Amino acid sequence: MTSTLDLGDAGLEELVLGELDDVERRLTDAASNADPLVQTPSRHLMDAGGKRLRPVLVMLTAHFGSGINEQVRTAAVATELTHLATLYHDDVMDDAPLRRGAPSAQHLWGNSIAILTGDLLFAKASRMVSELGPVAVRIQAEAFERLVLGQLHETIGPREGEEPVDHYLRVLADKTGSLISAAAHYGTLFSGADEAAVTASIAYGEKVGVAFQLADDVIDLVSDASTLGKEPGTDLRAGVATMPVLLLRARAAAGTLDEVGASVLRDLDSDDEDVRASTLDRLRSHPVLDETRSMARAWAADAVAELDPLPESAAKQALTAFADLLVDRLA
């Protein structure tokens, strides 16, 4: 769970951290109220902790309106439950052995239990959202649709003639940006914020979500398992080409790829663990990692720019700091 924040306003930070304790209790209740048959799997990832970025964003954007209320709290919990559900499915698709420093659900109980547990959490999140009314249901449904489409597009890959980097950025917008954008939408909607704040927050959430995932593409390669909470290079092992690899391929297509980059592309599909480790080390030191870092920072800056039409406030300052926190993890 997020235990520290630096949002530029001590009072707002204290308020949000206190609310996160309540979110944590509600998440525990939601998982514990599941059928006893699946109570342990359903609590597994929730108990492993997490950043709780989506609930934080719901609460911060609520300060463009009247602030945090019961509807805002419910939306924050529902959004995090939805996110947790996607992690169960992601770990099955990636065959990931670790998640948040603990064995993944599919590693402990098998693919079927992991998938069904994710489905159960989706259902519980949807039931919470239904209590918030038809507009909230539509926001949830649209985000869920984009989550699935993003995963499909990632799995199938770019179509003929589609530029791979552009395709990947659209995947990130759907898989990550959609739910973060929904979180920002909920906060403004249920606090009664004006239309300008709603529009700006939605656009901010979409772009900051892409920035977050680009930062994760770098962190997945450069961090060790104890820091990362999962095996480094998980996407490489699963055959998923993240931004650094796509940038290498773009250089290869343009005829500008250096020898180190060419060796990385050549060895990506190796089943030899020593070769995999060497490939990861070579990729870690390649300039495409700095290029990906720069892309993450640019998307974060674009997200903050979406807030420009809004008057200065503690909420606006906090969202600027929030975007910085997401990419400062790259330092």
Side-chain angles (χ1 to χ4, degrees), residues 248-326:
L248 286 179
R249 290 177 179 172
R251 292 186 182 199
T256 60
L257 186 62
D258 60 14
E259 183 177 342
V260 173
S263 73
V264 170
L265 291 181
R266 184 180 62 245
D267 293 338
L268 275 179
D269 296 329
S270 175
D271 293 328
D272 187 294
E273 283 301 317
D274 290 337
V275 173
R276 284 180 178 270
S278 172
T279 303
L280 183 59
D281 285 341
R282 280 173 276 150
L283 185 53
R284 282 170 169 163
S285 61
H286 197 277
V288 291
L289 254 71
D290 283 335
E291 191 174 344
T292 304
R293 288 185 178 97
S294 295
M295 292 178 72
R297 293 188 174 106
W299 276 88
D302 286 347
V304 171
E306 294 289 350
L307 305 175
D308 285 347
L310 305 181
E312 291 303 316
S313 65
K316 183 175 177 179
Q317 181 182 0
L319 289 177
T320 300
F322 184 78
D324 290 340
L325 285 172
L326 297 186

Side-chain angles (χ1 to χ4, degrees), residues 173-203:
D174 284 339
K175 282 189 62 180
T176 305
S178 62
L179 191 57
I180 292 180
S181 181
H185 195 171
Y186 283 141
T188 51
L189 174 67
F190 293 118
S191 65
D194 62 30
E195 190 60 35
V198 174
T199 300
S201 295
I202 291 170

Side-chain angles (χ1 to χ4, degrees), residues 94-141:
D94 296 343
D95 194 25
L98 291 175
R99 169 70 71 173
R100 296 178 173 176
S104 63
Q106 60 89 18
H107 181 76
L108 291 173
W109 296 288
N111 287 347
S112 294
I113 296 298
I115 291 170
L116 291 170
T117 300
D119 291 345
L120 176 64
L121 293 182
F122 271 128
K124 294 179 80 66
S126 297
R127 187 167 65 180
M128 282 187 185
V129 170
S130 71
E131 299 171 2
L132 298 173
V135 175
V137 171
R138 177 178 57 78
I139 294 169
Q140 170 84 347

Side-chain angles (χ1 to χ4, degrees), residues 198-213:
V198 174
T199 300
S201 295
I202 291 170
Y204 167 92
E206 181 96 4
K207 290 182 177 180
V208 88
V210 175
F212 174 78
Q213 194 56 58

